[in-house]
Amino acid sequence: MIKTRNGKIARLPQSVREELNQRLERSERSPQLLAWLNALPEVQEFVQRECGGEPVSKQNLSRWRLGGYQDWLTRRDFFDDARTAEDFATESGEASKSALADHAATVLAARYAGLLVRWDGKCAKDIEDKARVLNGFCRGITELQREAHRANRDNLGAKQPVQSRPVTVSHGDKILEKPLTGNSWQKPGNSG
């Protein structure tokens, strides 16, 4: 799905990364972010253990802002859209997995369209990163749609009405009938 990042910040605990992303979203300045980040006990422990005591640097933060933070924004926006879709489906009485999966696919298609509108045709890292995240979602949504549609098909098969009378088929000058029980076709009037 989404490429695993392996930079210094990417290896910090998820809760620290989440707080950092929220602070980045609020436009906190790098010096304040670095002071806060490097003062956290879990960050200090991590850099001692994994990075020879070298604290998180401005360059580490810059790389995160261009990579991991952008992934976070894309995921957050996508899941916000999906929650909106779920609310819509629930309100409209279409809370089936299939309806949600189909709506998620529509949201994803809209995200792709928005990305293409902003694309100038040149290879740009931000476009590539966003496309990579969307591709990861695409695989997951496709599988979700397959499962939902398979379940719907199975449900339809289970809800088929019980045959109330024999089926009669004429073929040329022959008439065959399939009784309510059994699988063999026979001439009408024969009990088997």
Side-chain angles (χ1 to χ4, degrees), residues 66-144:
L66 296 172
Y69 175 62
Q70 296 303 313
D71 289 351
W72 179 81
L73 286 173
T74 302
R75 277 192 301 272
R76 189 206 52 198
D77 291 348
F78 179 79
F79 287 120
D80 284 349
D81 288 346
R83 274 191 289 280
T84 300
E86 184 176 9
D87 292 345
F88 171 77
T90 301
E91 289 170 11
S92 66
E94 299 175 23
S96 71
K97 277 186 181 180
S98 179
L100 293 177
D102 290 344
H103 193 80
T106 302
V107 169
L108 185 62
R111 290 280 173 194
Y112 270 114
L115 189 62
L116 288 172
V117 166
R118 291 187 304 276
W119 184 43
D120 63 2
K122 297 177 184 169
C123 249
K125 185 160 178 26
D126 65 321
I127 298 289
E128 286 179 18
D129 288 344
K130 288 178 181 175
R132 181 178 34 77
V133 171
L134 291 174
N135 285 337
F137 283 128
C138 186
R139 286 187 289 278
I141 289 171
T142 300
E143 186 57 33
L144 181 62

Side-chain angles (χ1 to χ4, degrees), residues 166-178 185-188:
V167 174
T168 304
V169 176
S170 64
H171 181 64
D173 60 345
K174 296 181 182 176
I175 297 177
L176 297 176
E177 183 177 88
K178 183 173 183 188
W185 290 88
Q186 50 192 277
K187 290 182 182 177

Side-chain angles (χ1 to χ4, degrees), residues 180-192:
L180 293 176
T181 58
N183 291 323
S184 60
W185 290 88
Q186 50 192 277
K187 290 182 182 177
N190 287 357
S191 58

Side-chain angles (χ1 to χ4, degrees), residues 161-167 180:
V162 176
Q163 188 176 336
S164 59
R165 58 191 174 98
V167 174
L180 293 176

Side-chain angles (χ1 to χ4, degrees), residues 5 9-10 17-28 33 60-77 129-130 132-133:
R5 297 195 175 276
I9 293 176
R17 288 179 283 139
E18 182 67 26
E19 177 68 22
L20 175 60
N21 289 333
Q22 291 173 5
R23 287 172 177 246
L24 284 167
E25 186 176 36
R26 291 190 303 263
S27 301
E28 285 190 32
L33 286 172
N60 298 137
L61 185 57
S62 178
R63 284 185 184 151
W64 180 257
R65 186 176 277 133
L66 296 172
Y69 175 62
Q70 296 303 313
D71 289 351
W72 179 81
L73 286 173
T74 302
R75 277 192 301 272
R76 189 206 52 198
D77 291 348
D129 288 344
K130 288 178 181 175
R132 181 178 34 77
V133 171

